[in-house]
DNA sequence: GTATTTTGCTTGCGAAACTTAGCAAGACTT
DNA sequence: AAGTCTTGCTAAGTTTCGCAAGCAAAATAC
């Protein structure tokens, strides 16, 4: 949860890149990168982490976890299937509720022409 | 990318909760929740989204994507839809449709006693 | 050996997250 | 009807992100 500054620095140097090279690739300023590597930044935004994960070729989720953000739980097969349900979007619902919502959705769309 | 304020409001109301109830469960101030629901917040932090995903029982990744954060590749909702896992059940849902469904869900629940 | 470029870094600064304190309108008591 | 509690909201303040500008040391060029 702390001192991941050194981690980012090691990552960059392992690629043999300068701060300004990374800046060019990621559009993250060298000033900010320097602060990041010296531990002055608490939590870079997900977007920044995503850019860095690309140029350093590290997993996005790895970086998210490294800086202390919650990471999506590894889902079981059954849970993966659940992601196709309405409940994944609108919160847990009963079977009857889902059926009723699907019917209402159908109604909404037919009404919208 | 915009107007997810109404989405969060619909989510809360579908659960029949007040701002202060959510505050108690999530430790996110009611003031901030109010700003969030009225569209004055651009990108709530992942931690805040995670707390909300728990009390609203919605997928954490769903919220992350909703507010515009990058989402791990294989888990992207849009790709899932392309593979048909959602589409074959309900088709893709627009933001407005989602809010409308939540409002209808709220209505359904208030009606059932 | 000096001039120029490169590299990492620090210092303000604006923007945005998030809080505390408090207000006004509505709902519930008595 | 008056008083109290609830609910959503706003205003002001703190903190952090992330950038532009600039600086000194090191590297490179001349």
């Amino acid at each position: 949860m702390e001192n991941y500054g050194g981690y980012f620095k090691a990552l960059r140097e392992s690629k043999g890149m300068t701060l300004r090279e990374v800046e060019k690739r990621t559009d993250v300023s060298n000033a900010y990168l320097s602060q990041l590597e010296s531990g002055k930044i608490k939590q870079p935004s997900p977007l920044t982490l995503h850019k860095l994960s690309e140029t350093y070729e590290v997993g996005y989720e790895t970086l998210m976890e490294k800086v202390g953000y919650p990471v999506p739980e590894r889902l079981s097969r059954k849970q993966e299937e659940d992601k196709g349900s309405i409940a994944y979007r609108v919160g847990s619902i009963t079977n009857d509720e889902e059926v009723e919502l699907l019917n209402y959705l159908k109604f909404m769309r037919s009404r919208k022409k």
Side-chain angles (χ1 to χ4, degrees), chain A residues 3-70:
Chain A
N3 259 28
Y4 48 80
Y7 171 69
F8 282 107
K9 182 166 189 174
L11 220 43
R12 176 175 61 86
E13 290 180 339
S14 79
K15 291 276 176 188
M17 296 186 188
T18 70
L19 291 179
R20 278 177 176 80
E21 273 180 295
V22 178
E23 170 177 20
K24 240 188 165 186
R25 286 218 164 280
T26 59
D27 280 317
V28 175
S29 74
N30 69 80
Y32 185 68
L33 290 171
S34 174
Q35 294 171 44
L36 177 63
E37 293 185 357
S38 60
K40 285 166 190 161
I41 301 298
K42 312 226 160 159
Q43 277 189 327
S45 79
L47 180 57
T48 298
L49 292 180
H50 185 75
K51 289 172 179 171
L52 291 177
S53 81
E54 281 179 339
T55 69
Y56 292 155
E57 299 180 280
V58 194
Y60 171 45
E61 282 175 282
T62 303
L63 297 187
M64 291 286 284
E65 192 168 15
K66 190 71 95 174
V67 307
Y69 285 136

Side-chain angles (χ1 to χ4, degrees), chain A residues 59-89:
Chain A
Y60 171 45
E61 282 175 282
T62 303
L63 297 187
M64 291 286 284
E65 192 168 15
K66 190 71 95 174
V67 307
Y69 285 136
V71 163
E73 327 109 29
R74 203 60 215 120
L75 298 173
S76 71
R77 194 71 211 119
K78 188 169 190 311
Q79 286 172 325
E80 291 273 351
E81 287 168 10
D82 266 357
K83 287 169 60 184
S85 79
I86 286 187
Y88 198 74
R89 305 179 157 220

Side-chain angles (χ1 to χ4, degrees), chain A residues 95-112:
Chain A
N95 222 11
D96 289 349
E97 281 175 338
E98 176 156 12
V99 169
E100 210 168 330
L101 282 187
L102 286 169
N103 282 330
Y104 185 67
L105 182 61
K106 181 182 172 188
F107 164 73
M108 273 170 51
R109 287 175 169 163
S110 71
R111 183 164 182 124
K112 257 188 181 174

